[in-house]
Amino acid sequence: MEQTTFLPKIREIKMLNHNIMELHLEKPEAFSYLAGQFVQFFIPKDDTQVKRSYSLASAPKDPDLEFCIKILPKELNGPASLYLPTLDIGDSIQISQPRGRFTPKDDQNQFYIATGAGLAPILGMIRDQLEHKRNTKKIELLFGVRNENDIFFQERLKKLQDTFPNFRYNIALSQPETEWSGLRGRVTEHLLHDLVDHSYYICGNPHMVKDVRSTLIENGVDSKSILFEIF
Ligand SMILES: Cc1cc2nc3c(=O)[nH]c(=O)nc-3n(C[C@H](O)[C@H](O)[C@H](O)COP(=O)(O)OP(=O)(O)OC[C@H]3O[C@@H](n4cnc5c(N)ncnc54)[C@H](O)[C@@H]3O)c2cc1C
C-alpha cells in the first residue's frame, strides 16, 4: 500500500553550532503527531531517494514542525548530511506521516537523558509536558555532549527552567575545554539520584542508550519504566 506523504516548505533553516542544524517546516494541515515521534525524510540520491528518520523537536501545538539534525562530516558521504545543507527557505522536503512510540507517560516524575541530537525528541516531549499539558510532576533533563562547542538549545532550556519550577536541567561535558562549572564526565556518571517513582526517557547513540539503560536497571529501576530511542 502506498504511504501518505507530505511536501512542506522550509520556513527556517540555520546552524545551531558547528554541526547541528535547526530546520522548521510548515505544518501540513492533515499532519498530527505526538511529542517524541519521528518522520522519515525522502532524500534525493543520484536518480533515486533514500529515507532518513528525524525526530520532531517541536510540540504538537506548535505552528511549525521543528527538527534538529546532526550534519555528519562530508567524508562520511551521508546522503542527508550532504543534501540538507544545500536547502534554503521556501524549498520543499517530502516527509512521511509521524510514527514511533517514544512518548511520555504523564502521571509520573520524568527523567530525560539525551546526548547530542538525541535532545531533539526530548525537547519536544518536555515542552509539551510543561507548556501544553501543564504537568506539575518533577521533570528533569540530563544532556550530555563532548565539549562547550557541542552545546545547543541552552537558552531554550534555561528559559523553561526559569518559567517552570518543576523543571530542572543539567549539561554534562565529557571533555570540557574551559573552566566548565557544570557537570563533568559521561551521563552515566550522573544518573544515580532518587531513582524510584520516575519514568525514564533516553535518546542518543546506541552505546550511550545501552549503558544508561543497564545502569538504571542494575540500580533497581524497572525496565518497564524506561523508554528509549536510538539514532
Ligand atoms: C527513529 C530515529 C530518529 C532519528 N532522529 C534524528 C534526529 O532527530 N536528528 C539527527 O541528527 N539524527 C536522527 N536520526 C539519525 C538519522 O536518521 C540519520 O541516520 C543521520 O542523519 C545520518 O544520515 P546521513 O544520510 O547523513 O548518513 P548515513 O548514510 O546514515 O551514514 C553515512 C556514514 O556515516 C556513519 N554514521 C552515521 N551516523 C553517524 C554518527 N552519528 N556519527 C558518526 N558516524 C555516523 C554511517 O555508519 C555511515 O558510514 C534518527 C534515527 C532514527 C532511527
Side-chain angles (χ1 to χ4, degrees), residues 27 31-39 54-62 64-67 98-106 110 112 118-135 139 201-203 227-229 231:
K27 182 153 87 175
F31 190 98
S32 80
Y33 65 98
L34 300 172
Q37 287 192 304
F38 67 92
V39 298
Y54 293 104
S55 298
L56 286 141
S58 45
K61 291 196 177 156
D62 289 342
D64 289 349
L65 305 179
E66 298 179 20
F67 300 88
R99 46 189 72 176
R101 292 159 183 247
F102 187 56
T103 56
K105 300 175 193 151
D106 301 348
Q110 299 169 3
Y112 293 86
L119 184 56
I122 283 182
L123 181 68
M125 291 154 92
I126 291 175
R127 284 196 42 238
D128 191 44
Q129 291 292 311
L130 295 170
E131 294 176 358
H132 303 134
K133 300 216 160 113
R134 299 277 159 190
N135 192 340
I139 297 183
Y201 304 90
I202 319 168
C203 187
L227 278 187
F228 57 89
E229 187 85 278
F231 283 8

Side-chain angles (χ1 to χ4, degrees), residues 44-168:
K45 182 174 186 286
D46 305 324
D47 291 335
T48 172
Q49 285 180 321
V50 294
K51 291 182 204 165
R52 292 290 181 269
S53 302
Y54 293 104
S55 298
L56 286 141
S58 45
K61 291 196 177 156
D62 289 342
D64 289 349
L65 305 179
E66 298 179 20
F67 300 88
C68 81
I69 298 175
K70 179 175 172 182
I71 303 298
L72 300 174
K74 283 203 172 78
E75 56 272 21
L76 289 177
N77 270 321
S81 298
L82 293 175
Y83 176 69
L84 295 173
T86 68
L87 297 175
D88 214 336
I89 293 175
D91 291 340
S92 297
I93 303 185
Q94 189 179 6
I95 62 169
S96 72
Q97 287 184 315
R99 46 189 72 176
R101 292 159 183 247
F102 187 56
T103 56
K105 300 175 193 151
D106 301 348
D107 56 346
Q108 272 178 310
N109 296 322
Q110 299 169 3
F111 190 11
Y112 293 86
I113 302 114
T115 53
L119 184 56
I122 283 182
L123 181 68
M125 291 154 92
I126 291 175
R127 284 196 42 238
D128 191 44
Q129 291 292 311
L130 295 170
E131 294 176 358
H132 303 134
K133 300 216 160 113
R134 299 277 159 190
N135 192 340
T136 53
K137 296 271 182 190
K138 259 192 345 194
I139 297 183
E140 197 172 332
L141 164 69
L142 176 59
F143 177 38
V145 287
R146 183 175 303 169
N147 64 41
E148 292 80 347
N149 301 323
D150 297 323
I151 297 174
F152 60 96
F153 281 162
Q154 192 171 9
E155 299 76 31
R156 294 182 78 169
L157 295 174
K158 184 168 182 320
K159 203 166 158 207
L160 285 174
Q161 184 170 265
D162 292 344
T163 310
F164 297 97
N166 58 323
F167 174 64
R168 192 162 77 101

